[in-house]
Amino acid sequence: MMWLYHPLQIPLGLIVWGVWFIALYSGLSVGCAVAPPDAAAGPWNWLNAVLGGASLATVGLLLGLSTLCWRASRRVGKNERAKRFIARVGASVHLVAALATLFIALPIVGLPPCV
């Protein structure tokens, strides 16, 4: 579990969020160009289901990473401040990325995708 104390944990949450963001809007654009769902169905269509599922998976991943980093920060001894700092900041960044993912994915619930 030493990877939880690696400095990469600090930007990792935002990297995961960025990849999800690009995949979300790329998938939306490709889905609307190739096989646009019926606008009369509203937000309940195949494209929103796929994008919503990907969003929930990303939120789950980020929350899991946040929990792992937070627990790792609590296991560190008193004299290892750098490891504790990296793990706590990593947990915070993962949590912020999860909240940003939820906030950006909310329109999937209420809006038709290709209008």
Side-chain angles (χ1 to χ4, degrees), residues 6-7 13 18 26-27 31 36 38 44 46 75 78 81 86 89 98 104 112:
H6 194 277
S26 298
D38 185 23
W44 308 111
W46 69 271
R75 287 191 303 263
K78 295 285 185 191
R81 289 192 214 174
I86 290 170
V89 172
I104 292 172

Side-chain angles (χ1 to χ4, degrees), residues 70-88:
W70 185 257
R71 288 181 183 168
S73 76
R74 301 195 63 173
R75 287 191 303 263
V76 174
K78 295 285 185 191
N79 58 349
E80 297 177 303
R81 289 192 214 174
K83 286 183 177 181
R84 183 180 304 124
F85 174 79
I86 290 170
R88 285 190 178 171

Side-chain angles (χ1 to χ4, degrees), residues 7-8 11 56 60 70 89 106:
L8 182 63
L56 287 177
W70 185 257
V89 172
L106 279 177

Side-chain angles (χ1 to χ4, degrees), residues 34-108:
V34 173
D38 185 23
W44 308 111
N45 54 58
W46 69 271
L47 186 55
N48 276 3
V50 170
L51 297 176
S55 299
L56 287 177
T58 303
V59 168
L61 172 69
L62 289 168
L63 289 177
L65 287 172
S66 180
T67 303
L68 284 173
C69 285
W70 185 257
R71 288 181 183 168
S73 76
R74 301 195 63 173
R75 287 191 303 263
V76 174
K78 295 285 185 191
N79 58 349
E80 297 177 303
R81 289 192 214 174
K83 286 183 177 181
R84 183 180 304 124
F85 174 79
I86 290 170
R88 285 190 178 171
V89 172
S92 301
V93 171
H94 294 319
L95 183 61
V96 167
L99 293 174
T101 302
L102 276 176
F103 180 74
I104 292 172
L106 279 177
I108 293 173

